[in-house]
Amino acid sequence: MKTIYTQMKEIVSLLLILLLLSSCNEKKENTPITTIEEYRELRAEKLNQPRPVIFNNDGGDALMYPVDERYSKEYFLDKRSSGLLETDVSSIAYCTTSSGFGHFTRKTKAGEMLLESPFHSGIRKQYRNITGEMIAEGTDPLQATVDFSRENNYEIFWSNRMNDTHDESHRKDWSYFLWTDFKDKNPHYLWGKMSERTPHGRWSAVDYAQQEVRDKCVSFYREACENYDIDGVELDFLRHFQIFKSVGWGNNASQEEQDMLTDMVRQIREVTEEVGMKKGKPILVIVRVPTSPEFSKNAGADYKRWIEEGLVDIVAGSCYFRMDFWENFLKLGEGRDVKIYAGLSESRVKNFHPLLKRQQNAVFRARAAAAWAAGVDGVYSFNQYNTRVKYLSQIGAPEKLKNTNNLYFVTYRDYGAERYLKGGDNYFKMPRLSPSLKELVKFNAAPFSYDIEIGDESTPAEVYAAIYAEQVKAENIIVKINGTTARYKQSAEDNLFIFELDQSAVKEGMNKLDIAYDGKPGEEAILKDAAIFFCRDKEDVELRDLIAACK
């Protein structure tokens, strides 16, 4: 029979073995990778792990913290992070604000720490910036989010806005809280003089043709990779899509300028490899770009070349506007070690019919379903401030969307591309139909024909087309889906016309929606919007008014 002493000795021995194994495992994880070939093999393994939903947090949880609420790490995380638990989100891209170029809500020597609050500029007085409070506590917004991610098994990326110009309001007699010393001391690096209106983009953008700008940008990424336990970095070119001053003044980016930016991206890739090898873990690279590689290249960002040269791992497309369909965007990744993601930014369409609101769960579900049907590797959520919104728990797999109510539109984001490149709107391959567009769509033109993406909607549903039009007669409107004529059902209030569609006529993928007018319409007859609604759950409270209009 074992004595107590013997038993205690065995227990201590077992604990020492467990500690040794734990130590070995930790050492293995942190053991430097000695060859670039091994590193790239591990990076490929990491890239091929499933990450259905990447969630971008724009850092507003720290920058826009309520002035009347005491700070705690728990309360901070509750703003944007804790709500992600039990959703389909697999990865977090945390942006430390970065508006003003190198203005960060994190500890930094390479850039400038953003410590001022909006109320210092006399705006949004209900909010304060808690970055300073967090640093005084020994952490910062990025570190706290890294800790949260590690504790809850999320991937964590540091997201940097490449040329965010929310600081354009700055004036000599009114200091905007996002303005930086770097811009103040280097006005010759900016696109224009203070408050000057540039043909494209904004005056406060930095010019990446300047070597110091590019060098500083690379240093931002080195610092983040070295100082934080991150899984990857993001180059967010869509906040805002301004790269070269020459483009802002009406030119296309030259080959020399494109080469400059490609070289900078290459340096950032090399930084991730160098630091990743030292840390013993791969660091991925995300870029967020427009869905037209031609448009992007002429603005200076030749991301097709970056894909071909293996400089990036994940390419997320779309933001203020989407230029091409997902099936075409996906072709960029064929035969390449890169993942293609569909960007689902919030909708800013205005003047919509009350029953055709785009900023609701059914629409985000439809957008995700269409993207999955096209074959994307995942979806990317941007500017979604409420992390407890329902759709974040539904869009991570196409199977989840087969039994839901889904509301599709011809156009989800209606901003133009002229703001960033001369002739930018000429690159659109997708139709644009929105009630807030300045160009009115008049019925006295030829019949309208729109390509519209639809997900896997094979599960039985009642299917309707909702047409928003003014100065028309319902009996004169003709609606077809893929050549099959829809049946007029009824009119709702405020010029909304409901048509019944045969579900069998709708297919997964690309569909043709035709809208015509039988007879001679008046000069004021206008088509404002069009949507296709798959109704399965008639108890859906959020859609109760649209469901009632379809009865």
Side-chain angles (χ1 to χ4, degrees):
M1 186 175 178
K2 294 181 181 179
T3 65
I4 294 177
Y5 172 79
T6 304
Q7 290 176 337
M8 288 294 294
K9 188 176 179 181
E10 290 177 351
I11 292 171
V12 170
S13 299
L14 180 60
L15 287 172
L16 286 172
I17 292 170
L18 291 173
L19 285 170
L20 181 61
L21 289 172
S22 175
S23 175
C24 289
N25 288 336
E26 184 178 347
K27 189 177 189 308
K28 184 178 180 181
E29 288 180 6
N30 297 319
T31 299
I33 301 169
T34 55
T35 68
I36 190 64
E37 292 77 16
E38 181 188 0
Y39 175 87
R40 289 173 178 171
E41 184 178 337
L42 291 171
R43 185 174 66 201
E45 290 177 8
K46 184 170 187 172
L47 177 62
N48 287 318
Q49 293 172 1
R51 57 180 61 77
V53 182
I54 301 173
F55 176 84
N56 181 285
N57 182 341
D58 70 357
D61 45 7
L63 192 64
M64 301 293 178
Y65 198 89
V67 294
D68 59 352
E69 188 175 305
R70 70 178 176 85
Y71 160 71
S72 74
K73 185 176 177 180
E74 179 185 357
Y75 289 175
F76 161 74
L77 292 171
D78 191 60
K79 304 299 179 201
R80 298 275 179 89
S81 299
S82 299
L84 297 174
L85 297 173
E86 299 182 11
T87 67
D88 291 349
V89 171
S90 54
S91 311
I92 299 171
Y94 192 87
C95 175
T96 47
T97 303
S98 58
S99 183
F101 183 70
H103 214 186
F104 302 132
T105 51
R106 66 170 174 84
K107 298 171 187 174
T108 180
K109 291 181 180 178
E112 300 172 44
M113 283 191 285
L114 174 52
L115 300 176
E116 286 196 344
S117 297
F119 63 72
H120 287 116
S121 299
I123 61 173
R124 299 189 176 186
K125 298 179 181 180
Q126 71 273 34
Y127 298 118
R128 77 182 193 271
N129 177 4
I130 60 169
T131 301
E133 296 173 59
M134 297 186 75
I135 291 174
E137 195 182 63
T139 186
D140 64 32
L142 178 57
Q143 185 59 56
T145 308
V146 168
D147 294 342
F148 170 85
S149 300
R150 293 288 167 252
E151 292 166 5
N152 294 283
N153 200 31
Y154 287 102
E155 267 190 327
I156 177 69
F157 294 80
W158 175 61
S159 176
N160 179 45
R161 296 184 170 193
M162 303 302 286
N163 218 344
D164 188 298
T165 48
H166 277 97
D167 60 359
E168 67 153 348
S169 300
H170 179 75
R171 299 292 183 270
K172 287 183 179 179
D173 59 350
W174 186 66
S175 179
Y176 195 57
F177 77 109
L178 295 176
W179 189 249
T180 62
D181 287 342
F182 179 78
K183 288 187 176 182
D184 207 48
K185 294 174 181 176
N186 297 283
H188 53 292
Y189 288 168
L190 306 182
W191 281 25
K193 297 176 182 177
M194 190 172 293
S195 76
E196 185 176 15
R197 189 174 184 85
T198 54
H200 311 277
R202 293 169 174 167
W203 71 270
S204 64
V206 295
D207 182 11
Y208 276 85
Q210 304 296 326
Q211 184 70 51
E212 186 179 357
V213 170
R214 299 196 304 277
D215 288 347
K216 279 189 72 66
C217 186
V218 174
S219 74
F220 300 156
Y221 284 92
R222 176 174 292 280
E223 182 180 65
C225 289
E226 288 179 343
N227 295 348
Y228 295 88
D229 180 24
I230 52 178
D231 295 296
V233 294
E234 177 178 32
L235 288 69
D236 185 356
F237 285 99
L238 293 180
R239 273 299 187 274
H240 294 97
F241 196 55
Q242 306 161 138
I243 304 167
F244 293 107
K245 180 178 180 179
S246 62
V247 175
W249 288 94
N251 299 302
N252 282 356
S254 67
Q255 184 62 54
E256 181 182 9
E257 288 173 324
Q258 294 171 26
D259 291 344
M260 288 177 183
L261 195 70
T262 295
D263 181 65
M264 188 193 76
V265 174
R266 185 179 297 111
Q267 288 182 56
I268 292 171
R269 170 62 115 185
E270 290 170 354
V271 164
T272 64
E273 292 182 332
E274 176 192 332
V275 178
M277 288 177 72
K278 287 178 181 178
K279 288 190 170 185
K281 56 177 290 184
I283 300 175
L284 302 179
V285 176
I286 303 176
V287 290
R288 203 166 74 98
V289 291
T291 50
S292 167
E294 298 82 12
F295 168 82
S296 185
K297 180 180 180 181
N298 284 331
D302 188 1
Y303 67 84
K304 184 173 183 287
R305 178 180 173 187
W306 305 345
I307 292 172
E308 291 169 351
E309 293 188 14
L311 304 181
V312 298
D313 301 299
I314 298 171
V315 179
S318 175
C319 187
Y320 286 121
F321 49 81
R322 180 150 67 97
M323 296 180 140
D324 207 347
F325 296 103
W326 295 129
E327 64 177 26
N328 296 329
F329 186 53
L330 279 163
K331 293 176 182 177
L332 293 164
E334 291 180 354
R336 304 289 179 180
D337 292 328
V338 68
K339 302 297 182 182
I340 305 296
Y341 275 62
L344 305 185
S345 297
E346 92 289 11
S347 175
R348 296 187 180 183
V349 170
K350 301 177 181 178
N351 306 319
F352 53 82
H353 190 281
L355 303 187
L356 297 182
K357 183 173 70 171
R358 286 162 171 79
Q359 196 67 17
Q360 58 181 325
N361 287 293
V363 179
F364 282 99
R365 290 194 295 261
R367 293 170 69 181
W372 284 118
V376 298
D377 295 298
V379 293
Y380 183 108
S381 174
F382 188 85
N383 263 17
Q384 177 55 65
Y385 307 134
N386 177 12
T387 54
R388 293 173 173 83
V389 71
K390 184 185 292 185
Y391 78 83
L392 286 178
S393 300
Q394 300 172 314
I395 61 173
E399 294 76 19
K400 288 188 169 187
L401 302 166
K402 292 181 179 181
N403 296 297
T404 56
N405 289 342
N406 302 322
L407 180 60
Y408 296 86
F409 285 86
V410 172
T411 301
Y412 298 99
R413 296 292 306 257
D414 61 3
Y415 280 33
E418 194 77 21
R419 61 172 56 195
Y420 297 124
L421 179 69
K422 183 179 180 181
D425 288 349
N426 296 329
Y427 294 85
F428 276 95
K429 295 180 181 178
M430 294 185 70
R432 297 172 70 203
L433 176 62
S434 162
S436 57
L437 288 176
K438 293 180 180 178
E439 302 82 15
L440 299 177
V441 181
K442 295 189 175 183
F443 269 103
N444 56 11
F448 311 119
S449 184
Y450 296 108
D451 290 324
I452 183 170
E453 298 166 310
I454 302 291
D456 181 355
E457 297 290 351
S458 55
T459 304
E462 294 179 7
V463 188
Y464 304 96
I467 309 299
Y468 182 25
E470 291 184 349
Q471 302 297 320
V472 297
K473 294 180 180 179
E475 59 269 23
N476 292 105
I477 301 175
I478 301 172
V479 177
K480 295 182 180 180
I481 186 74
N482 298 321
T484 300
T485 303
R487 299 175 296 279
Y488 170 68
K489 186 173 178 63
Q490 62 195 22
S491 301
E493 295 181 1
D494 302 319
N495 303 305
L496 187 67
F497 304 94
I498 305 298
F499 293 80
E500 289 183 288
L501 298 176
D502 288 330
Q503 186 174 8
S504 60
V506 186
K507 60 183 181 180
E508 180 180 355
M510 298 300 300
N511 291 258
K512 185 72 70 176
L513 177 64
D514 296 315
I515 305 170
Y517 197 84
D518 184 16
K520 186 175 181 179
E523 186 66 26
E524 302 302 317
I526 298 170
L527 175 63
K528 302 191 76 172
D529 211 353
I532 296 178
F533 177 40
F534 289 82
C535 182
R536 297 181 177 92
D537 178 11
K538 295 185 179 180
E539 303 302 317
D540 188 333
V541 176
E542 189 176 18
L543 292 170
R544 61 188 182 278
D545 293 335
L546 179 59
I547 293 169
C550 293
K551 285 183 178 178

